[in-house]
Amino acid sequence: MIEPMGNAGRFLVEAAGRLGVRLYAATHKDVHDGYPHRLRDALSGVCATDLTDTARALVDMEAFCRRHAVAGIAACFELFTPLAALLAERTGLPGNDPRLAHAPRNKILMGEAFARAGVPAPRWAVTHDPDEALRVARAGPGALGWPLVVKPAEQGGSWGVSVVDGPDRLADAVRAAQRYTRAEPHGLPLDTRALLQEYVPGREYSCDTVVADGVAHPLPVVAKDTTDGTYRIETGHTCPSGLPGPLEEEVRRVAARAALAVGVRNGIAHTEVKIPPGARTPYVIETGARLPGDNLCEVVEAATGVDEAVAHLRAVLGTAPDTAPTRTDAAAIRFLLPERGGVLRRLDVPGEPGTHAELYLKPGDAVPEPADSACRAGHVLARAATAGEARRLADRVAARSRVEVG
């Protein structure tokens, strides 16, 4: 696993245990020193290298893979998915297309890949600075219009993403998108260009796709909830999606096309789409060549029995993934958000049958301003017989929870 820190790592650890395979990690020594004990204890070995130096990292990781007879390669950290594709090619293991491997990481290259493959997606333009953004936004009959989505070319977790409803706030939005020059904790240099994207109204959904030897296996569709206003922070997810059968199948089909368009050949892709009111065409907002975050692996498995992490590992190991649902239940997750940034004073989540909670912060911790997913204090996950019941149960517990910030 190339950098197993973060939300995906824990699910890959559990999946490896279910499959009976040994796990190794490639990371920086100082990053490894900060791993939680559970992750460190699950690893059979560590390749300490500099993941920001592609040439050195490939040499170090290839030697490590051959020494330990590594049979599969998975990137957990989205920005290292190109490195995983290159390493798979060098070692002769199943992997993604290295010629397209930067497209799931870089939203500009992603947009170009979608256009070549005819994947339905919002119109977009690239900008290098606020002045250029204003010129592009006002450019003639082909203008993207308002509102407009501004996002970094390379970043995740809704960081630096905002929705602007007119030119007065565009310059600030572009500067916010460009403030990320390196990805921490590794110090990986980022593309500092900003993307201006046409705003697509309507509900948002996600659909993951496992790809094995170039064959796409779409997974269940999940409904997403976000905040309104400038910053669209994910507040929760629900599976099943509640979409009519034919429209859900169309989302799955489009998500699979998006995954293949960005070069996913052996692994998994997480695709986010929006469907305008009354429309039958899902528009792909973006695709990542990785397991989903936001505990979506747990949500999907609770509702359908499909273990996304196991399917992902099977694909990178060159074996057939099992993506058939084994149950027809429902699950919903709701994130606990602060009203403002500051210092966490109190965090209480009431217990209720059919739910469990996980807290990310403790009293005394700093709480970021609610502008992206980094501000979350925890989550509650509910299981029920139907999506409506699961949603109401999760909403009720979240509404009764207290996140006090001083």
Side-chain angles (χ1 to χ4, degrees):
M1 300 185 295
I2 299 179
E3 195 43 80
M5 59 169 268
N7 192 259
R10 61 185 283 189
F11 295 105
L12 286 176
V13 167
E14 294 171 4
R18 294 176 183 180
L19 292 174
V21 302
R22 293 190 303 274
L23 285 180
Y24 299 89
T27 183
H28 294 192
K29 182 183 182 304
D30 60 327
V31 176
H32 174 261
D33 290 344
Y35 282 1
H37 291 296
R38 182 182 179 189
L39 176 56
R40 278 193 283 179
D41 292 345
L43 299 175
S44 297
V46 176
C47 174
T49 186
D50 181 356
L51 297 175
T52 69
D53 183 340
T54 299
R56 173 188 163 184
L58 286 173
V59 169
D60 291 345
M61 291 190 297
E62 181 181 3
F64 184 93
C65 287
R66 298 195 186 283
R67 186 164 64 250
H68 293 277
V70 168
I73 296 163
C76 303
F77 197 67
E78 182 170 63
L79 297 173
F80 294 130
T81 53
L83 195 57
L86 292 170
L87 180 60
E89 182 182 45
R90 286 175 70 124
T91 54
L93 295 173
N96 294 333
D97 188 340
R99 298 166 300 176
L100 294 171
H102 277 83
R105 161 182 164 165
N106 186 294
K107 295 176 178 62
I108 296 169
L109 298 179
M110 184 187 302
E112 294 172 349
F114 288 164
R116 286 193 300 270
V119 174
R123 296 178 301 149
W124 56 276
V126 181
T127 184
H128 297 78
D129 56 62
D131 290 339
E132 183 183 25
L134 286 168
R135 292 194 298 271
V136 170
R138 292 168 170 165
L144 298 175
W146 307 100
L148 191 64
V149 182
V150 182
K151 57 179 66 175
E154 294 183 333
Q155 192 50 274
S158 302
W159 292 10
V161 179
S162 57
V163 179
V164 296
D165 54 11
D168 292 346
R169 296 186 55 255
L170 182 57
D172 287 343
V174 171
R175 282 190 284 268
Q178 293 185 307
R179 74 177 183 269
Y180 299 101
T181 60
R182 292 182 179 273
E184 301 303 340
H186 308 87
L188 182 70
L190 298 176
D191 184 342
T192 57
R193 293 176 293 175
L195 189 76
L196 308 181
Q197 192 177 68
E198 177 185 25
Y199 179 78
V200 177
R203 287 294 307 273
E204 190 165 354
Y205 302 86
S206 67
C207 179
D208 300 333
T209 306
V210 177
V211 184
D213 198 22
V215 178
H217 303 268
L219 300 178
V221 179
V222 177
K224 177 191 292 191
D225 292 292
T226 70
T227 56
D228 296 321
T230 300
Y231 305 112
R232 305 298 170 94
I233 308 168
E234 288 92 344
T235 59
H237 307 271
T238 305
C239 183
S241 67
L243 286 170
L247 189 51
E248 171 140 343
E249 284 306 308
E250 182 64 9
V251 171
R252 286 158 51 91
R253 187 183 73 83
V254 169
R257 288 177 57 197
L260 296 174
V262 297
V264 179
R265 298 294 179 265
N266 294 279
I268 196 167
H270 174 67
T271 301
E272 297 173 348
V273 307
K274 291 191 76 173
I275 305 175
R280 295 181 176 273
T281 300
Y283 289 84
V284 176
I285 305 302
E286 57 188 56
T287 296
R290 55 166 176 79
L291 278 171
D294 282 6
N295 283 66
L296 279 171
C297 289
E298 184 179 5
V299 172
V300 170
E301 185 174 9
T304 69
V306 175
D307 189 323
E308 295 198 22
V310 166
H312 177 40
L313 284 187
R314 287 189 181 278
V316 301
L317 289 168
T319 60
D322 184 0
T323 59
T326 59
R327 66 173 69 107
T328 55
D329 296 326
I333 190 170
R334 293 295 178 267
F335 298 104
L336 307 177
L337 307 180
E339 294 183 356
R340 58 186 176 85
V343 176
L344 185 65
R345 300 302 185 197
R346 182 178 179 182
L347 178 55
D348 294 329
V349 182
E352 188 158 338
T355 73
H356 71 268
E358 182 177 337
L359 307 183
Y360 312 155
L361 303 174
K362 62 183 183 301
D365 286 346
V367 179
E369 289 294 330
D372 53 53
S373 59
C375 73
R376 295 168 176 166
H379 74 252
V380 58
L381 190 143
R383 303 181 184 202
T386 69
E389 292 172 0
R391 178 189 292 272
R392 286 190 293 273
L393 182 56
D395 285 342
R396 184 166 66 246
V397 175
R400 292 170 52 206
S401 299
R402 299 185 65 178
V403 181
E404 294 182 6
V405 176

